[in-house]
Amino acid sequence: MSYRLNLLATVLLTACCGLAAAQTPAPATPKPAAPTPLTAPMPPPPTLDAKAWVLMDYATGQILASSNPDERVEPASITKIMTSYVVSAELAAGKVKPGDEVFISENAWRGGGAGTDGSTSFLALNSKVKLHDLLMGMIVQSGNDSAIALAEHLAGSEAVFADLMNEYAKRLGLKDTHFVNASGLSAPEHYTTAHDIATLSRALIRDFPEDYKIYAIKEFEWNGIKQHNRNALLWRDASVDGIKTGHHSAAGYCLAASAKRDDERLITVVMGTKGEKVRADMTQELLNYGFRFYETHKLYSADQPVAEPTLWKGLADTIQLGVTQDVLVTLPRGRYADLKASMDVPGRFVAPFTKGQNLGTLRILLDGKPLIERPIVALQEYPEAGFMRRVGDSVMLWFKSDESVQPSKQPDTK
């Protein structure tokens, strides 16, 4: 009997093991994991043998790369960017006209004419030249005599014109710039920075686009003498349309340039290099680097709702929050999907609010670090509601916690 039981147990155990084996699926063939997409590497910017330099995105004003951007340097003839900005501003205001006959004084002739060793338009002493021709001569030929004559015509003297230049510099936010003349001749208190020149260049392109077109002209003839624009990149790179060269012994060789490829424009400023070819080569290297490794996107449009949180004690149920200017950001190529948006605004909104009232801050972050910040405002007028609604909302607020307000959409990453 014991033998039969043992045999039966053995048979049952064997059957169970067989059944279990039949129900256990065979191990799956291992498959390699899908590779994780890699973020394209971001190389460092070029190393330039210059006193100071800046690479700026035009649309956003962001500095993409730089070296000694706020170090004071002599600008030489890059000064004439500010001189032309002032002339364009005075033209736009109707204070002078392109056809004005400008007298060429002995001061302009001696200080910047053919008898000097600086760049000149070869203006004749005591002659009269149309203002527009002087502007061409100053920008294309870098004529010191043209710059001085323009300054005297607009302000009575070059010294007073320099004061005007400095006032415009303050308005444009140039923090470390001071001018004492219109041409850029060396002087102890005549200085600027690469950052300030980039800011000035951006303002020139933005504020006076028609006058800026002069900077792309390759040659100009006056008094029977044809001179070429000293910006060598105008012949080398079709995307370059300005801006201005500069040189004297104290400043070295300098170049402020701008180029536009497709919808993207960059500005470069290279100060204090050792030669004409060097400044052009370095500028070309910076431009190529910027266009290759950076891109600009519009994230939010001006006057469009970014968020619509609940409005208490008002006639409307919600309040539209937005920005007054388009929000653009420049970032390394391939990183657009990594952008995050956040808002620092109150947890509850209680009417009334006026249109344009500042109510907080929109932040755009990359890798947890802020790229840009913009004020958040009320997009409309939001008056207070009647007595009964205010009382009802007051009761409701006793039972409501603060609302977490975030942008209604994150930056479009499609």
Side-chain angles (χ1 to χ4, degrees):
M1 183 67 176
S2 176
Y3 168 76
R4 289 179 178 177
L5 290 174
N6 288 338
L7 179 61
L8 180 59
T10 301
V11 172
L12 290 173
L13 180 61
T14 302
C16 289
C17 288
L19 181 61
Q23 292 177 343
T24 302
T29 303
K31 294 183 179 179
T36 302
L38 297 176
T39 301
M42 183 68 183
T47 300
L48 306 185
D49 185 12
K51 291 179 183 177
W53 57 267
V54 158
L55 171 64
M56 174 187 280
D57 177 77
Y58 167 76
T60 63
Q62 287 178 237
I63 298 297
L64 309 182
S66 66
S67 176
N68 302 322
D70 298 315
E71 179 179 326
R72 289 182 178 180
V73 293
E74 289 201 51
S77 282
I78 284 181
T79 298
K80 290 164 185 158
I81 298 176
M82 176 57 88
T83 304
S84 78
Y85 186 94
V86 175
V87 173
S88 293
E90 299 294 289
L91 282 166
K95 296 180 180 178
V96 291
K97 295 180 175 59
D100 283 356
E101 296 282 348
V102 179
F103 179 71
I104 308 305
S105 69
E106 183 172 351
N107 178 56
W109 181 73
R110 288 192 181 279
T116 67
D117 60 357
S119 53
T120 178
S121 293
F122 297 98
L123 303 176
L125 175 63
N126 296 330
S127 65
K128 290 187 177 181
V129 180
K130 291 187 184 300
L131 185 147
H132 181 264
D133 290 332
L134 290 177
L135 195 59
M136 292 279 290
M138 180 182 70
I139 293 172
V140 181
Q141 300 171 336
S142 197
N144 292 331
D145 47 359
S146 292
I148 297 170
L150 284 167
E152 291 178 340
H153 182 71
L154 265 72
S157 72
E158 190 175 10
V160 175
F161 184 82
D163 291 337
L164 194 58
M165 295 168 74
N166 291 323
E167 285 301 314
Y168 275 101
K170 290 178 184 177
R171 291 186 185 184
L172 295 174
L174 310 189
K175 298 178 180 178
D176 288 292
T177 292
H178 186 261
F179 299 109
V180 298
N181 60 60
S183 63
L185 294 174
S186 185
E189 291 303 309
H190 193 88
Y191 57 81
T192 187
T193 68
H195 191 172
D196 279 359
I197 291 298
T199 301
L200 170 61
S201 299
R202 183 177 181 233
L204 174 71
I205 297 168
R206 178 195 66 217
D207 298 344
F208 307 110
E210 289 303 312
D211 289 346
Y212 176 67
K213 291 178 181 178
I214 299 174
Y215 284 88
I217 295 174
K218 294 180 179 179
E219 60 185 26
F220 178 64
E221 181 177 336
W222 181 258
N223 205 17
I225 301 172
K226 182 183 291 185
Q227 295 188 71
H228 292 86
N229 195 315
R230 291 167 173 79
N231 183 357
L233 292 183
L234 292 176
W235 283 266
R236 184 190 300 183
D237 185 340
S239 69
V240 173
D241 54 14
I243 307 174
K244 191 73 190 72
T245 61
H247 169 257
H248 58 57
S249 57
Y253 291 84
C254 311
L255 175 57
S258 183
K260 186 177 182 181
R261 299 179 188 175
D262 297 324
D263 293 329
E264 186 174 7
R265 178 181 287 280
L266 297 177
I267 294 169
T268 60
V269 179
V270 176
M271 309 294 286
T273 70
K274 295 179 180 178
E276 291 185 37
K277 185 177 184 302
V278 174
R279 72 185 175 191
D281 289 347
M282 289 181 178
T283 299
Q284 186 75 74
E285 195 172 356
L286 273 182
L287 288 171
N288 290 342
Y289 173 82
F291 284 119
R292 170 63 184 84
F293 293 106
Y294 285 90
E295 58 187 352
T296 298
H297 294 273
K298 183 168 79 170
L299 306 182
Y300 298 99
S301 297
D303 303 321
Q304 296 299 311
V306 172
E308 294 189 53
T310 303
L311 178 66
W312 300 97
K313 300 185 181 182
L315 294 177
D317 294 328
T318 60
I319 177 172
Q320 291 186 342
L321 306 180
V323 290
T324 57
Q325 296 180 334
D326 291 347
V327 177
L328 299 98
V329 63
T330 304
L331 70 163
R333 289 191 182 275
R335 300 298 310 279
Y336 189 37
D338 299 325
L339 289 176
K340 301 296 181 185
S342 68
M343 290 173 58
D344 181 10
V345 294
R348 56 179 64 180
F349 293 86
V350 181
F353 295 105
T354 58
K355 183 177 181 179
Q357 184 175 341
N358 193 331
L359 297 175
T361 303
L362 171 70
R363 293 186 177 87
I364 306 299
L365 303 98
L366 181 65
D367 298 331
K369 298 178 181 179
L371 278 181
I372 55 175
E373 295 185 351
R374 294 291 183 270
I376 288 288
V377 303
L379 294 181
Q380 299 177 26
E381 202 85 16
Y382 292 97
E384 203 173 43
F387 175 75
M388 293 303 297
R389 174 143 187 184
R390 296 202 312 272
V391 170
D393 281 359
S394 295
V395 173
M396 292 290 293
L397 283 170
W398 279 99
F399 304 97
K400 290 284 187 180
S401 58
D402 286 350
E403 185 177 352
S404 178
V405 182
Q406 294 302 325
S408 56
K409 65 171 184 175
Q410 292 292 305
D412 185 5
T413 57
K414 294 182 181 179

